[in-house]
């Protein structure tokens, strides 16, 4: 990246998030220069009661982050949005429904990216956001026990301002590369938090039922809205399980509990749960 582009990487504007805290009823809002892992640090604060519902933990430079399956996630300073959000529904929904928050966050990011960057974004099941057929965002959720019951910490890493040579793999891109213009990280993160909070409120109203019509969304269900954004559906996929076994077939539907339905060559349908897979890849080699 050129020196000019490096100097253009503006820090987040704290005033934006001071105002947003009141608007959305956010809990703890922590904006840090560096962090080991935003998920780990926010989970620790949640467990000790220092961070409550809709707490937000952001870092300009994450140094020890982990993605799905323990992969490293290290971000160049000022180039990305690395943030974790805590949701503690209490008795508003059963604990099993917290597994939906990975895709709830992915949907919120799709909406914010389209609003703020003008980029059509889609979801790669179960935990990535795509621009075209390249990854712009990875999501990792973890269950946490808090003094007010179980909650979930949802950590995301959104590529915003990287050049191609700063991205970890050829299948990744950034919003600047995808849109052809600079994107305000403050506006993008604020948009994501507004969308996350709205989806969270509506999901609580239906007690974590992924197939129930949600108030404020014209009766659409969370599973229906996610399915409409799911790039994986309709494609031939190769599902890799941790024991080395494979399932090949077409991704045909998203179940109300978030499971992916895959129909194999013998027309048998398989339910695939996110926690049971190692990878889900397009059979044609594309990332989505």
């Amino acid at each position: 990246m050129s020196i000019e582009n490096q100097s253009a990487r503006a820090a987040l504007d704290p005033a934006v998030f001071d105002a947003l805290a009141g608007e959305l009823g956010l809990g703890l809002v922590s904006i840090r220069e560096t962090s080991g892992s935003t998920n780990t640090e926010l989970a620790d604060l949640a467990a000790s009661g220092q961070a409550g519902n809709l707490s937000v933990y952001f870092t300009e430079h994450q140094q020890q982050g982990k993605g799905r399956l323990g992969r490293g996630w290290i971000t160049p300073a000022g180039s990305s949005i690395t943030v974790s959000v805590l949701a503690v529904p209490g008795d508003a929904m059963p604990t099993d429904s917290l597994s939906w928050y990975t895709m709830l966050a992915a949907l919120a990011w799709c909406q914010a990216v389209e609003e703020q960057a003008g980029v059509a974004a889609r979801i790669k099941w179960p935990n990535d956001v795509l621009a075209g057929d390249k990854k712009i965002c990875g999501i990792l959720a973890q269950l946490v026990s808090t003094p007010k019951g179980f909650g979930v910490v949802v950590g995301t890493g959104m590529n915003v301002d990287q050049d191609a040579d700063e991205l970890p793999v050829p299948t990744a891109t950034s919003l600047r590369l995808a849109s052809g213009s600079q994107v305000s990280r403050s506006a993008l993160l604020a948009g994501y938090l507004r969308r996350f909070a709205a989806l969270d409120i509506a999901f609580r109203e239906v007690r974590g039922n992924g197939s129930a019509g949600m108030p404020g969304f014209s009766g659409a269900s969370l599973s229906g809205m996610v399915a409409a954004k799911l790039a994986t559906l309709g494609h031939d996929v190769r599902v890799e399980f941790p024991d080395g076994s494979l399932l090949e077939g077409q991704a045909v539907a998203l179940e109300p509990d978030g499971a992916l339905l895959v129909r194999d060559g013998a027309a048998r349908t398989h339910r695939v749960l996110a926690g049971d897979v190692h990878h889900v890849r397009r059979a044609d080699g594309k990332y989505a």
Side-chain angles (χ1 to χ4, degrees):
M1 169 171 258
S2 68
I3 292 175
E4 289 80 11
N5 278 343
Q6 285 180 334
S7 65
R9 285 178 171 168
L12 284 191
D13 182 356
V16 170
F17 300 96
D18 288 342
L20 202 63
E23 175 189 335
L24 301 180
L26 302 180
L28 171 75
V29 178
S30 180
I31 300 175
R32 296 179 175 264
E33 185 65 28
T34 62
S35 170
S37 163
T38 60
N39 259 26
T40 298
E41 291 168 23
L42 182 54
D44 288 345
L45 291 169
S48 66
Q50 297 176 72
N53 184 55
L54 288 185
S55 288
V56 179
Y57 199 95
F58 172 90
T59 186
E60 290 285 2
H61 187 195
Q62 180 164 260
Q63 298 171 313
Q64 299 170 14
K66 294 293 183 183
R68 191 167 178 269
L69 304 174
R71 302 183 189 97
W73 181 271
I74 300 173
T75 55
S79 67
S80 308
I81 292 176
T82 308
V83 66
S84 294
V85 180
L86 170 67
V88 186
D91 60 2
M93 65 179 70
T95 302
D96 287 352
S97 295
L98 295 177
S99 63
W100 265 108
Y101 274 82
T102 298
M103 283 182 279
L104 183 150
L107 179 61
W109 272 122
C110 286
Q111 294 169 343
V113 162
E114 290 167 4
E115 290 171 351
Q116 301 296 327
V119 173
R122 302 196 74 190
I123 300 168
K124 174 184 176 291
W125 190 89
N127 67 321
D128 291 341
V129 178
L130 309 177
D133 59 2
K134 291 192 173 183
K135 177 178 175 177
I136 53 170
C137 177
I139 301 171
L140 179 68
Q142 65 184 80
L143 191 69
V144 60
S145 178
T146 82
K148 295 188 176 181
F150 283 106
V152 60
V153 174
V154 189
T156 58
M158 171 65 71
N159 297 333
V160 180
D161 197 35
Q162 292 99 320
D163 278 330
D165 60 5
E166 293 180 296
L167 295 164
V169 291
T171 52
T173 191
S174 69
L175 283 180
R176 179 164 57 80
L177 292 174
S179 67
S181 60
Q182 294 281 348
V183 178
S184 165
R185 291 188 305 140
S186 292
L188 181 61
L189 178 53
Y192 165 65
L193 294 174
R194 286 190 178 98
R195 288 295 190 168
F196 184 101
L199 289 165
D200 171 61
I201 290 169
F203 195 46
R204 293 173 194 233
E205 286 289 321
V206 297
R207 299 194 60 80
N209 183 345
S211 61
M214 300 200 302
F217 291 90
S218 302
S221 67
L222 181 58
S223 62
M225 288 190 289
V226 168
K229 285 289 185 185
L230 205 57
T232 314
L233 291 182
H235 292 289
D236 290 334
V237 297
R238 180 182 300 109
V239 182
E240 302 175 13
F241 296 96
D243 64 2
S245 61
L246 297 175
L247 168 63
E248 294 185 341
Q250 186 180 65
V252 294
L254 184 71
E255 289 275 81
D257 64 353
L260 186 68
L261 290 186
V262 178
R263 183 176 297 130
D264 65 21
R268 293 171 300 197
T269 301
H270 304 260
R271 275 175 45 88
V272 181
L273 293 169
D276 295 337
V277 304
H278 185 72
H279 287 297
V280 177
R281 304 179 187 274
R282 283 263 295 268
D284 60 10
K286 292 185 178 181
Y287 188 75

